């Protein structure tokens, strides 16, 4: 229009047409006026975003509320809004506001249904503002980012493995006060940088490798849940990956044991405490879920880091693809007399059954059961409750009584 206005002005001057000159002035002024109107409307726009709730499990719904307000002197029209939403939360919502009255709040709502766990960022909220004539437009960020915590899906489990304290209702600390349980001296394999004065020679001679004494008081009593989140030990992608199943199952176990008053510590395969340390006492469901929501796959190859001899009276390991060598490492780091349970994921089934490099779970199962472990194999077709019942039954076959409690 500016080009047309200047062309009309030149023609008006050449032809000495005053009426055409008035048209040229109007055509030139109109886009400038439109730009000024859109700029004034943009300055007076304000928005706020609210998430209800801001913490949801996978598959649950959350609602986003956008409150818009115009404080400018001129009414706002032709407002296009687009909120930035990650792909895991759905499509980007768009709204067209024909007219936004001055100093009158306007609310917009849209749902979110996350399909993947994680710490998701919703926003920023972008507005495309146009003038009433549609000649000028501006893009502006009205609201920043909001944090949405998507925690793993938790399945309600029923029953407890019997014997060894877990099924009997205690957490193992009673046996310690009675003079039972492990010795006060806790040893582990030598690591580079350890003080040689702390070498435990009796254990070194027995295991035929250098062992050192751990001075800090080990985790005694309760249950340690070991989660294997190594990338190469899992198959599949997205919400149907074996890693997501393992994380959801570990969360279900922790919350299920919390329900019965057990102390639970959640650790990764590298020995890192994810939840249940001394700071939270091991009895906070929110701490467990929030730590798993932000958990990423590990690129470690070894599995022995989480199997410290002081890991607790009971261990429940949720494992991905487990090679016979890794199974032997687990057996090596857990004394035979202590209670140890393992869930082995048939990751080849999660990968479609075509991955010849995936370890066969039956090989690791034979090694672990031979060492006194209770073992259950998880497949994509089996529910978590079925796998948990099989694990409880495997604990009963180890010579301990099995007692089912309805959760």
């Amino acid at each position: 229009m500016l080009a047309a206005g200047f062309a009309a002005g030149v023609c008006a001057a050449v032809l000495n047409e005053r009426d055409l000159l008035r048209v040229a002035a109007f055509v030139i002024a109109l886009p400038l006026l439109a730009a000024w109107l859109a700029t004034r409307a943009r300055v007076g726009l304000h928005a706020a975003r609210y998430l209800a709730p801001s913490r949801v499990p996978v598959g649950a719904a959350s609602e986003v509320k956008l409150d818009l307000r115009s404080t400018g002197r001129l009414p706002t029209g032709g407002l296009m809004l687009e909120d930035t939403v990650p792909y895991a939360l759905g499509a980007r919502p768009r709204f067209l506001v024909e007219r936004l009255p001055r100093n009158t709040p306007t609310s917009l709502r849209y749902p979110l249904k996350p399909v993947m766990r994680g710490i998701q960022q919703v926003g920023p909220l972008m507005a495309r503002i146009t003038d009433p004539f549609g000649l000028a437009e501006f893009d502006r960020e009205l609201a920043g980012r909001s944090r949405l915590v998507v925690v793993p899906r938790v399945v309600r489990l029923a029953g407890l493995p019997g014997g060894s304290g877990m099924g009997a209702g205690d957490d193992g600390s009673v046996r310690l006060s009675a003079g039972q349980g492990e010795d006060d001296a806790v040893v582990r394999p030598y690591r580079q940088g350890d003080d040689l004065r702390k070498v435990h020679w009796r254990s070194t001679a027995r295991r035929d490798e250098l062992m050192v004494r751990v001075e800090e008081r080990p985790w005694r009593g309760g249950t340690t849940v070991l989660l294997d989140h190594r990338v190469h030990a899992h198959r599949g992608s997205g919400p149907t990956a074996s890693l997501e199943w393992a994380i959801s199952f570990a969360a279900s176990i922790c919350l299920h044991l919390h329900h019965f008053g057990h102390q639970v510590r959640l650790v990764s395969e590298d020995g890192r405490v994810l939840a249940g340390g001394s700071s939270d006492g091991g009895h906070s469901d929110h701490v467990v879920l929030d730590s798993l929501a932000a958990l990423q796959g590990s690129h470690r190859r070894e599995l022995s880091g989480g199997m410290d001899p002081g890991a607790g009276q009971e261990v429940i390991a949720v494992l991905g693809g487990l090679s016979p060598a890794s199974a032997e490492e687990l057996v090596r780091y857990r004394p035979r007399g202590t209670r140890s349970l393992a869930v082995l994921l048939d990751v080849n089934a999660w990968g479609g059954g075509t991955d010849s490099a995936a370890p066969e779970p039956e090989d690791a199962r034979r090694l672990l059961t031979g060492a006194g472990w209770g073992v259950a194999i998880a497949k994509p077709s089996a529910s978590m409750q079925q796998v948990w019942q099989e694990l409880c039954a495997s604990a009963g076959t180890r010579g301990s009584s099995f007692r089912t409690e309805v959760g």
Side-chain angles (χ1 to χ4, degrees), residues 50-64 89 112-114 116-120 122 146-154 251 255 258 275 283-294:
Y50 304 96
L51 300 179
S54 60
R55 185 177 178 278
V56 295
V58 172
S62 178
E63 186 180 63
V64 179
L89 301 180
L112 293 177
K113 193 171 184 179
M116 281 286 292
R117 62 175 181 84
I119 309 298
Q120 306 290 353
V122 181
S146 300
R147 185 170 179 262
L148 178 66
V149 180
V150 184
V151 301
R153 183 173 62 96
V154 176
L255 269 62
H258 283 172
H283 281 76
S284 174
D285 292 349
H286 289 324
V287 172
V288 172
L289 294 177
D290 289 350
S291 63
L292 291 177

Side-chain angles (χ1 to χ4, degrees), residues 298-350:
S298 169
H299 295 283
R300 285 178 57 93
R301 307 291 297 185
E302 302 83 8
L303 187 63
S304 60
M307 298 305 298
D308 200 309
Q313 291 296 329
E314 283 100 10
V315 165
I316 301 178
V318 182
L319 307 171
L322 193 67
S323 64
S326 297
E328 291 177 354
E329 285 293 319
L330 289 178
V331 172
R332 180 183 179 185
Y333 280 91
R334 285 295 290 175
R336 189 180 181 88
T338 58
R339 158 103 114 203
S340 304
L341 304 175
V343 175
L344 302 178
L345 273 67
D346 187 358
V347 295
N348 189 27
W350 263 277

Side-chain angles (χ1 to χ4, degrees), residues 54-249:
S54 60
R55 185 177 178 278
V56 295
V58 172
S62 178
E63 186 180 63
V64 179
K65 179 185 176 184
L66 300 173
D67 285 344
L68 304 176
R69 182 184 294 271
S70 176
T71 59
R73 295 182 178 181
L74 299 176
T76 303
L79 182 63
M80 175 71 74
L81 296 175
E82 181 178 13
D83 209 4
T84 306
V85 174
Y87 76 95
L89 301 180
R92 291 187 175 185
R94 292 182 177 180
F95 302 94
L96 178 60
V97 181
E98 294 292 346
R99 182 179 177 85
L100 189 61
R102 180 172 176 264
N103 290 328
T104 301
T106 300
S107 295
L108 303 174
R109 301 173 186 268
Y110 66 90
L112 293 177
K113 193 171 184 179
V115 297
M116 281 286 292
R117 62 175 181 84
I119 309 298
Q120 306 290 353
Q121 299 292 334
V122 181
L125 176 64
M126 301 301 298
R128 176 164 292 180
I129 305 162
T130 60
D131 68 287
F133 304 106
L135 299 179
E137 65 180 23
F138 293 91
D139 290 335
R140 182 191 174 189
E141 180 179 322
L142 295 183
R145 291 176 172 84
S146 300
R147 185 170 179 262
L148 178 66
V149 180
V150 184
V151 301
R153 183 173 62 96
V154 176
V155 175
R156 187 177 180 86
L157 304 177
L160 289 174
S164 189
M166 189 183 297
D170 59 55
D171 62 1
S173 57
V174 176
R175 296 190 302 277
L176 289 174
S177 61
Q180 304 176 16
E182 58 189 86
D183 297 333
D184 289 338
V186 177
V187 295
R188 60 166 173 80
Y190 173 81
R191 299 172 185 170
Q192 187 174 3
D194 287 339
D195 190 349
L196 292 178
R197 292 174 297 180
K198 298 180 181 178
V199 173
H200 195 268
W201 296 110
R202 185 170 56 182
S203 299
T204 298
R206 184 172 64 251
R207 299 198 181 193
D208 197 22
E209 74 169 310
L210 205 58
M211 307 293 290
V212 295
R213 182 188 297 271
V214 180
E215 292 183 349
E216 53 192 22
R217 188 170 181 82
W219 167 266
R220 300 176 183 273
T223 302
T224 296
V225 178
L226 172 65
L227 174 60
D228 177 15
H229 61 106
R230 296 171 297 158
V231 173
H232 83 277
H234 290 276
R235 300 295 186 273
S237 60
T240 60
S242 62
L243 176 60
E244 298 302 318
W245 193 96
I247 291 175
S248 179
F249 189 59

Side-chain angles (χ1 to χ4, degrees), residues 5-79:
F6 282 114
V10 172
C11 292
V14 172
L15 300 176
N16 195 23
E17 289 285 345
R18 292 191 175 184
D19 292 336
L20 184 58
L21 184 60
R22 296 187 184 97
V23 172
F26 174 76
V27 172
I28 293 175
L30 188 58
L32 299 178
L33 176 64
W36 179 79
L37 289 173
T39 303
R40 295 295 299 174
R42 181 180 64 167
V43 171
L45 277 177
H46 302 278
R49 183 191 300 106
Y50 304 96
L51 300 179
S54 60
R55 185 177 178 278
V56 295
V58 172
S62 178
E63 186 180 63
V64 179
K65 179 185 176 184
L66 300 173
D67 285 344
L68 304 176
R69 182 184 294 271
S70 176
T71 59
R73 295 182 178 181
L74 299 176
T76 303
L79 182 63

